[in-house]
């Protein structure tokens, strides 16, 4: 069953029932102020950091799920009936319901008792606030007298503390109410210099700021006492649970529409100007008042919404494609690109599955996210690279995560994931290929955020490379450390204590267990580093990288080839993992994808053979599982991977993140049909028709689809924040459609289904626009016969970099 439809023209997904299998969410904000919002207005907001600056509350894993949000209630003052125009939280039957998730905004519209309502939620560019533009229309034949109540629950900033430290928190809450604006100022009296505000353009009939007064004791969000009786209590919170609710009366003639704007925002004051008058305890509102006034004006709201639309036109316009496949097109042109913005901003921190408390920005995750983001806003990619590099350890290793607010490495998670440093090389390479900005390599960047430790960024890349060279195991392969890309392959953990973190527990000295995956990644990164060094005139350094890559390649052939596929790792006993000699976990996906992407086995048929093995043992109609056979029990020497029941997550789930590695590998060997088939299997748009099985949003990729060993094979989980976003985008645009930035220009190297007649791409690259038409008259998958640029034949496959800011026509004819 379908729960909605794509509206590609408006770049929206239209959800036609509030009762989706799971909350289907969207993100508000793309710079500093963010929110998640579900199709029934559930969700919360935060400034920069979902843990440390949370504005509103949300209770994860609640029953019913998805409670806590940006709620409005409409009350008919004649009949006393009330309902939520977003369905939740009253869940009153609506006569019409439609949620449109768009690029940075969500609009929820409904009709109930002949009252039509439409609320558009968005964050204006450049602001740290969100707008709820509420429109209400009377579809009755007689006048309507309504009350509208807003409702949000303030979070006491640190989301972790907010959910646990009640002995303190029940006594700290403070608000101010001035000119109808509710200010949330808990802890402002002491060390915070920020507060939240909640304003409303309508004339207030009342307000509430104490949650339990608004709701009434033992009542829930579906029947707040204030709404039921039709009048606010004008409660002023002190301690307990600060809340924001306005009450506005709206009278409507038949057919009449009125608009009420609500503004929820975050504001900081200079530390020495927190109070007004100075010496008092009253918030200084001098700089926030004009911001509030601006957005309570409907004209400014309309202009800000238009600006947001234009922003997205620009961002998405950088790469547009028209292929014979509508699912691929809407992912490439709209949703996958949009998801890449969310993963860039959020990493894995805040979604319906990530509480915003557990994880900051991952080192490897954020570097990989760049692959799908760098072309959209290169300046922000640059800033991210420098921030990440500044957390790098002097050893070349990396803090596994950093906190977005402080931009500092997170000590609780620590380091020792031995793949981490290489992703910095991959991220920087992608950035330079896109922008040609070689200067980034000269930027002085600290180590471990220590002033005085600055070295050029290039030095960081060199230390990343050396990090592996200094950590080689008994077979000559890289030592795995706590884990590699697969966070759950914990070969040095040996934990037998319930609840102990697999990520941070280490009981072995780490001198034996090795990773073939890191070996492949090392080869890939070393070749990039060689290209970078060569380009900078450091021939000796380039030669060293190439030599080490070749050496590692030999080791992979010797100890990393199992006969029909690549081995995955060696455990602490020196025994292979991912080999025919294993009982379970005989073949893994990661080392196949990574080795081939690094170019290993392309010459001698091993790559093809490994890909055949993947097809035979790992491919399912719903995507490619991570390994087979699944682990049937917990193995202390394997760690978290064997903690999951078979078919879920890293234990033989379809971990979508690394499906694209296989797809890229298939394009490298020229298998366009299979590459595209694999791509389509996990493409959420193509899976829309099996919504009851898939269950997650059909417009974004999920981290995981349950594998063939799971009773729920085909069910997706952990949507939105996943490396799948960047990798599938990168795969579709650069390897299938094959329009691939390289150091010296834009490479054209498609690998498509044979049946395709061709496709077109418009790409802005280093300031010029390329209008590319690819023709496939001989129905091949790969191979370029001829390229014409502005009518002139090009001898290479790389489109030149024009510095003229113009549009250039490119015709590509495929064939042998
Ligand atoms: C998950 C991994 C994740 C890790 C670190 C594990 O529980 O299965 O996918 O990378 O936690 O957050
Ligand atoms: C999710 C994590 O965010 C990522 O870093 C890791 O590579 C994958 N899980 C696989 O374990």
């Amino acid at each position: 069953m379908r729960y909605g439809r794509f509206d590609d023209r408006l770049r929206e997904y239209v959800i036609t029932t509030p009762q989706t299998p799971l909350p289907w969410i969207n993100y508000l904000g793309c710079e500093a102020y963010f929110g998640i919002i579900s199709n029934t207005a559930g969700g919360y907001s935060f400034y920069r950091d979902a843990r440390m600056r949370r504005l509103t509350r949300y209770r994860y894993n609640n029953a019913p799920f998805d409670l806590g949000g940006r709620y409005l209630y409409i009350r008919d003052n004649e009949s006393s009936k009330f309902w939520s125009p977003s369905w939740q939280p009253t869940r009153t039957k609506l006569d019409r319901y439609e949620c449109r998730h768009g690029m940075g905004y969500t609009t929820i519209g409904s009709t109930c008792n002949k009252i039509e309502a439409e609320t558009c939620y968005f964050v204006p560019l450049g602001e740290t606030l969100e707008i709820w533009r509420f429109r209400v229309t009377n579809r009755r034949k007689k006048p309507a007298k309504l009350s509208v109540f807003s409702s949000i629950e303030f979070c006491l900033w640190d989301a972790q503390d907010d959910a646990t430290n009640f002995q303190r928190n029940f006594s700290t809450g403070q608000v101010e109410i001035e000119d109808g604006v509710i200010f949330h100022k808990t802890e402002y009296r002491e060390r915070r210099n920020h507060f939240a505000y909640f304003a409303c353009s309508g004339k207030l009939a009342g307000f509430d700021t104490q949650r339990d007064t608004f709701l009434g004791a033992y009542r829930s969000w579906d029947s707040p006492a204030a709404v039921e009786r039709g009048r606010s209590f004008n409660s002023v919170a002190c301690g307990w649970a600060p809340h924001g609710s306005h009450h506005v009366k709206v009278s409507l003639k038949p057919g009449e529409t009125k608009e009420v704007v609500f503004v929820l925002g975050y504001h900081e004051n200079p530390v020495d100007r927190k109070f007004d008058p100075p010496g008092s305890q009253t918030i200084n509102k001098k700089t926030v008042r004009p911001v509030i006034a601006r957005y309570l004006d409907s004209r400014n709201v309309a202009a800000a919404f238009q600006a947001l639309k234009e922003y997205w036109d620009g961002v998405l316009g950088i790469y547009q494609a028209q292929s014979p496949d509508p699912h691929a097109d809407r992912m490439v042109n709209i949703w996958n690109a949009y998801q890449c913005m969310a993963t860039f901003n959020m990493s894995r921190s805040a979604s319906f599955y990530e509480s915003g408390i557990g994880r900051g920005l991952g080192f490897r995750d954020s570097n990989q996210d760049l692959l799908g983001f760098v072309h959209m806003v290169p300046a922000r990619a640059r800033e991210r690279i420098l921030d990440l590099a500044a957390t790098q350890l002097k050893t070349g290793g990396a803090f596994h995560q950093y906190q977005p607010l402080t931009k500092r490495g997170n000590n609780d998670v620590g380091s020792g994931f031995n793949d981490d440093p290489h992703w910095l090389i991959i991220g920087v390479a992608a950035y330079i290929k896109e922008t040609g900005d070689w200067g980034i390599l000269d930027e002085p960047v600290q180590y471990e955020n220590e002033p005085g430790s600055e070295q050029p960024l290039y030095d960081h890349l060199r230390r990343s490379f050396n990090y592996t060279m200094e950590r080689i195991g008994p077979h000559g392969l890289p030592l795995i450390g706590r884990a590699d890309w697969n966070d759950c392959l914990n070969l040095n953990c040996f934990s037998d204590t319930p609840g102990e973190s697999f990520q941070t527990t280490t009981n072995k000295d780490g001198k034996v267990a090795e990773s073939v995956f890191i070996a492949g990644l090392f080869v890939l990164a070393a070749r990039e580093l060689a290209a970078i060094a060569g380009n900078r005139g450091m021939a000796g350094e380039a030669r060293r990288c190439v030599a080490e890559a070749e050496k590692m390649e030999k080791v992979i052939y010797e100890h990393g080839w199992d006969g029909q596929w690549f081995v995955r790792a060696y455990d602490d006993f020196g025994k292979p993992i991912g080999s025919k000699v294993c009982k379970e976990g005989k073949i893994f996906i990661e080392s196949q994808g990574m080795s081939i992407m690094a170019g290993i086995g392309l010459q001698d048929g091993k790559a093809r053979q490994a890909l055949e093995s993947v097809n035979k043992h790992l491919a399912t109609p719903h995507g490619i599982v991570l390994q087979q056979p699944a682990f049937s029990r917990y193995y202390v020497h394997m760690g978290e991977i064997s903690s999951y029941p078979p078919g879920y997550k890293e234990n033989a789930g379809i971990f979508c993140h690394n499906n694209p590695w296989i797809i890229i590998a298939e394009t490298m060997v020229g298998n366009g049909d299979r590459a595209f088939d694999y791509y389509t299997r996990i493409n959420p748009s193509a899976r829309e028709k099996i919504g009851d099985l898939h269950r997650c949003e059909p417009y974004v990729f999920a981290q995981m689809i349950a594998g063939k060993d799971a009773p729920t094979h085909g069910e997706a989980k952990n949507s939105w924040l996943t490396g799948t976003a960047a990798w599938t985008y990168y795969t579709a645009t650069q390897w299938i459609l094959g329009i691939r930035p390289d150091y010296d220009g834009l490479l054209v190297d498609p690998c498509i289904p044979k049946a395709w007649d061709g496709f077109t791409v418009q790409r802005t690259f280093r300031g010029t626009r390329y209008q590319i038409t690819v023709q496939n008259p001989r129905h091949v998958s790969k191979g370029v016969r001829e390229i014409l640029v502005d009518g002139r034949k090009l001898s290479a496959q790389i489109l030149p970099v024009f510095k003229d800011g113009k549009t250039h026509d490119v015709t590509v004819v495929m064939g042998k």
Side-chain angles (χ1 to χ4, degrees), residues 630-644:
F631 297 112
S632 60
R633 66 204 63 198
Y634 176 60
Y635 296 105
V636 73
H637 67 289
M638 304 278 294
E640 186 170 0
I641 190 166
S642 61
S643 74
Y644 288 111

Side-chain angles (χ1 to χ4, degrees), residues 409-555:
N410 183 339
N411 257 324
D412 300 342
V413 191
S415 62
F417 297 79
N418 284 351
D419 64 313
D420 273 343
H422 295 302
W423 296 111
L424 182 65
I425 301 178
I426 304 291
V428 171
Y431 171 79
I432 298 176
K433 287 176 184 173
E434 177 66 35
T435 59
D437 172 15
W438 290 93
I440 193 173
L441 296 170
D442 301 321
E443 285 288 340
V445 186
Q446 296 174 347
Y447 283 98
E448 301 171 37
N449 299 108
E450 249 177 56
S453 64
E454 290 82 359
Q455 289 292 326
L457 178 64
Y458 182 79
D459 185 69
H460 287 252
L461 306 187
R462 189 190 279 137
R463 286 199 205 181
S464 292
F465 173 83
N466 289 344
Y467 180 85
T468 289
M469 302 298 308
E470 290 156 12
R471 285 166 186 77
I472 296 290
H475 294 92
L477 292 161
L479 292 169
I480 194 167
R482 286 195 162 139
D484 58 23
W485 171 88
N486 189 332
D487 267 332
C488 298
L489 198 59
N490 315 117
L491 305 181
N492 293 302
C493 177
F494 283 78
S495 172
D496 55 11
T497 307
E500 204 167 54
S501 163
F502 289 109
Q503 304 287 305
T504 55
T505 306
T506 305
N507 282 310
K508 296 287 164 174
D509 65 7
K511 301 229 165 77
V512 182
E514 301 165 293
S515 164
V516 177
F517 170 83
I518 299 181
L521 177 61
F522 172 81
V523 174
L524 185 69
R527 295 207 159 120
E528 289 293 6
L529 195 56
I532 290 172
N535 241 296
R536 307 219 84 204
M538 295 184 288
E541 188 125 353
R543 272 198 301 278
R544 176 176 163 243
C545 292
V546 171
E548 292 298 345
E550 278 169 3
K551 207 166 114 195
M552 189 62 78
E553 199 170 326
K554 283 209 188 82
V555 178

Side-chain angles (χ1 to χ4, degrees), residues 368-409:
Q368 290 171 78
D369 290 346
L370 292 172
L371 293 174
F373 176 80
V374 59
H375 67 294
M376 295 200 261
V377 195
R380 292 189 67 203
R382 188 181 210 272
E383 185 192 358
R384 175 63 52 79
I385 287 171
L386 298 177
D387 287 346
L388 283 166
T391 68
Q392 190 176 21
L393 302 170
K394 294 186 188 108
T395 58
F399 274 113
H400 198 45
Q401 288 175 17
Y402 82 94
Q403 219 41 49
L405 191 73
T406 60
K407 295 189 173 178
R408 289 189 173 252

Side-chain angles (χ1 to χ4, degrees), residues 347-348 354 359 362-366 368 400-401 419-420 423 483-489 503 590 626 649-650 655 657-658 661 703 721-723:
S347 185
R348 311 294 172 264
E354 300 279 8
R359 302 210 268 172
F363 192 89
R364 77 158 84 86
D365 293 341
S366 291
Q368 290 171 78
H400 198 45
Q401 288 175 17
D419 64 313
D420 273 343
W423 296 111
D484 58 23
W485 171 88
N486 189 332
D487 267 332
C488 298
L489 198 59
Q503 304 287 305
E590 302 101 305
L626 194 141
K649 294 278 288 181
E650 281 86 345
F655 215 93
H657 184 143
N658 47 34
W661 300 348
Q703 180 202 53
L721 300 185
T722 156

